Amino acid sequence: MTAAEQASANIGVVGLAVMGSNLARNLASREGNTVAIYNRSYSKTETLLTEHPEANFVPASTYEEFAASLSKPRTAIIMVQAGKGTDAVIDALTEAFEPGDIIVDGGNALFTDTIRREKAVRETGINFVGAGISGGEEGALLGPSIMPGGSAEAWETLGPILKSIAAIAEGEPCVTHVGTDGAGHFVKMIHNGIEYADMQLIAEAYDLIRQGTGATPAEIADIFAEWNKGELESYLIEITAEVLRQVDAKTDKPLVDIILDQAGSKGTGVWTVQTALNLGVPVSGIAEAVFARAVSSKPAQRAASAALPGPSSVPTVDDKAAFIEDVRQALYASKIIAYSQGFDAIVAGAEEYNWDIKKGEIAKIWRGGCIIRARFLNRITEAYAENPGLVALVTAPYFTDAMAGTQDSWRRVVGGAAAAGIPTPAFSSSLAYYDSLRAPRLPAALVQGQRDFFGAHTYKRVDMDGTFHTLWSGDRTEIEATDSH
Ligand code: 6PG
């Protein structure tokens, strides 16, 4: 190999498991790209080369060879399992690369790890970019939604490459420079939190229709396929119809009845909720979705509780079509709440970590490629374009109208589910959150009174400034307190 041939690749991929090899193939399929590829065990690299001889790949068997095959500034995307493995690859690349080069972590890293890594790598003069990549295996191959953080300098080189491989929604590539250091992985984490809520809401809708009307999974698949033609149109609704239609080859039964009803998770939903708790943002729909998976995965508790008493009489569904339409409306309303809560978390994260995140841009890059892609994301973009300082997404005119149109159905569904003993944690908590937001007065006043009673935690008054404490164990007069707890 001559020196010129050696440095012929403009982008590299480290880690050639399914996501990594699909992303490498996507990159190689775009005009002008030559892709350096490296995997810890060379056999994976060989397999990729054999299976795709047409692709513009430059294989490397060591990090030194990998670095030598890249033109400068060298740009490499790491696609390995998030965690310790990522640190080891970053160390190796930092060793092999030079100041000005760019290391991109395309895994599902925890954003605080990305902040730490960016700081450490920056000290070597190398750029580090944490990029959230959504869309699963197919998205990686055909066009994902990409959420990169990192420096503006890195974005200059990286932006055009990422734009060339991202999904296209309404003529625009689904990628934007989200913000500095961990901003990209933060936004990807929130994306996954919304994904959890959306999936749980859809699952509750399915369960309600099945239990309420006795429809078969295949019939419910038709209902979801129909819903996918309207305002609920989204990737998750589309795949739900396919999952429900699937028949198990071994038993001829609906596959959904054969799959063990214990939902797993890799942790990004938990991170979203933990982060939101730290930021003080109520993401109750997302939290209920995470907890619903946790409840499902407690077989001993579920078995021991199976004989617990339920409602003495279960209401019947007389008008099945009307009930199904109610569920559709309830799903739409709850989904709006899930996105509203997710965007609240983005706003709070941006404030805490000093990121200039453009909410409308985030909604735009989620319109294509990613798991939560949905028709109504355009409405979110419009809402933030009209009012960038929107305090709660649900208060934008379009969504307020949607709430007016859906809420009677929503209330009937949540009330009916409670009466029938069908668990709807995400539907119910979304409605409770919505009613909390709109309540002119909340019983939080009583909570403050209780806190002041047992802990002298003080309270504020509605009619004057200052901080007050009541002498509960004395003559119960009120005194102005100097420090609040
Ligand atoms: C995506 C997905 C992807 C992954 C989730 C699954 O955007 O492409 O979110 O990142 O499938 O992490 O998460 P759980 O295993 O936790 O459900």
Side-chain angles (χ1 to χ4, degrees):
M1 227 186 244
T2 67
E5 271 169 350
Q6 269 185 357
S8 61
N10 61 320
I11 179 85
V13 175
V14 176
L16 301 175
V18 186
M19 287 294 286
S21 52
N22 280 3
L23 199 79
R25 285 172 59 200
N26 183 351
L27 282 160
S29 73
R30 312 291 167 161
E31 194 161 345
N33 283 345
T34 301
V35 186
I37 51 172
Y38 172 83
N39 193 71
R40 196 160 51 137
S41 68
Y42 192 72
S43 62
K44 272 218 171 95
T45 313
E46 268 177 334
T47 309
L48 186 59
L49 287 171
T50 319
E51 285 175 359
H52 301 283
E54 77 293 347
N56 224 351
F57 288 141
V58 183
S61 59
T62 64
Y63 280 109
E64 291 67 34
E65 245 179 74
F66 181 73
S69 67
L70 282 161
S71 56
K72 295 181 190 175
R74 297 182 185 90
T75 307
I77 306 179
I78 303 172
M79 296 296 290
V80 301
Q81 188 108 42
K84 278 210 179 98
T86 310
D87 279 315
V89 177
I90 292 169
D91 287 348
L93 284 178
T94 312
E95 195 68 13
F97 278 15
E98 290 168 1
D101 292 348
I102 304 165
I103 299 172
V104 184
D105 175 13
N108 264 335
L110 179 60
F111 76 97
T112 45
D113 284 342
T114 304
I115 293 176
R116 166 179 62 78
R117 288 169 179 151
E118 197 275 340
K119 197 162 173 269
V121 174
R122 190 174 357 117
E123 276 167 20
T124 68
I126 296 170
N127 290 291
F128 183 77
V129 173
I133 301 182
S134 177
E137 295 170 16
E138 195 182 286
L141 181 63
L142 302 174
S145 171
I146 314 176
M147 294 147 255
S151 68
E153 183 195 339
W155 173 244
E156 249 176 61
T157 306
L158 198 58
I161 299 172
L162 296 184
K163 281 180 186 167
S164 78
I165 58 162
I168 305 284
E170 294 179 30
E172 294 175 90
C174 295
V175 55
T176 190
H177 182 214
V178 175
T180 53
D181 55 52
H185 275 141
F186 182 90
V187 166
K188 174 61 173 36
M189 176 187 75
I190 302 298
H191 164 285
N192 280 30
I194 296 173
E195 171 185 308
Y196 272 58
D198 214 344
M199 292 167 75
Q200 173 64 22
L201 289 167
I202 292 172
E204 289 177 18
Y206 148 76
D207 197 28
L208 282 164
I209 294 175
R210 188 150 187 200
Q211 295 204 47
T213 70
T216 64
E219 286 164 348
I220 304 174
D222 290 342
I223 294 169
F224 276 99
E226 196 54 39
W227 288 1
N228 203 37
K229 294 178 188 156
E231 56 205 354
L232 281 173
E233 181 191 326
S234 60
Y235 172 71
L236 284 171
I237 294 279
E238 183 192 324
I239 66 160
T240 298
E242 296 210 20
V243 173
L244 288 175
R245 224 186 292 283
Q246 186 69 28
V247 172
D248 174 47
K250 292 193 185 72
T251 59
D252 264 351
K253 289 184 179 155
L255 181 66
V256 72
D257 288 345
I258 300 299
I259 297 176
L260 188 67
D261 59 341
Q262 296 176 18
S265 88
K266 291 205 204 77
T268 47
V270 173
W271 292 346
T272 309
V273 179
Q274 284 171 335
T275 304
L277 285 172
N278 289 339
L279 293 169
V281 188
V283 292
S284 45
I286 299 170
E288 288 298 347
V290 173
F291 289 140
R293 292 194 190 186
V295 172
S296 78
S297 303
K298 294 268 176 267
Q301 288 183 5
R302 288 175 61 194
S305 310
L308 287 176
S312 48
S313 72
V314 172
T316 51
V317 172
D318 299 323
D319 185 340
K320 289 183 182 175
F323 174 72
I324 291 166
E325 175 57 12
D326 272 353
V327 173
R328 189 187 72 82
Q329 303 268 8
L331 176 56
Y332 187 44
S334 306
K335 186 174 163 123
I336 291 170
I337 295 299
Y339 279 73
S340 194
Q341 293 181 341
F343 274 91
D344 283 350
I346 290 178
V347 171
E351 211 170 283
E352 175 74 19
Y353 295 98
N354 274 320
W355 296 317
D356 179 22
I357 300 181
K358 309 267 185 311
K359 277 98 64 188
E361 288 298 306
I362 302 304
K364 263 189 177 177
I365 65 165
W366 285 350
R367 288 178 307 173
C370 67
I371 304 294
I372 64 169
R373 61 185 183 260
R375 182 202 280 197
F376 93 138
L377 279 156
N378 269 328
R379 305 285 91 78
I380 300 182
T381 302
E382 282 160 19
Y384 283 115
E386 240 165 67
N387 179 5
L390 197 63
V391 287
L393 186 59
V394 69
T395 62
Y398 175 85
F399 294 111
T400 307
D401 283 354
M403 290 296 149
T406 54
Q407 70 174 279
D408 287 345
S409 295
W410 198 9
R411 292 180 196 286
R412 276 194 295 273
V413 167
V414 169
I422 300 171
T424 54
F427 273 18
S428 309
S429 77
S430 306
L431 181 56
Y433 169 82
Y434 175 71
D435 282 334
S436 298
L437 278 186
R438 40 179 295 283
R441 266 235 10 115
L442 287 168
L446 178 57
V447 172
Q448 283 296 79
Q450 293 163 332
R451 293 177 69 235
D452 190 58
F453 187 99
F454 63 68
H457 292 301
T458 75
Y459 52 86
K460 296 204 186 288
R461 296 179 56 99
V462 295
D463 54 358
M464 62 176 80
D465 287 341
T467 301
F468 300 91
H469 167 56
T470 290
L471 300 171
W472 297 99
S473 56
D475 59 7
R476 302 210 166 188
T477 52
E478 182 180 69
I479 57 165
E480 188 143 15
T482 44
D483 70 327
S484 58
H485 301 251

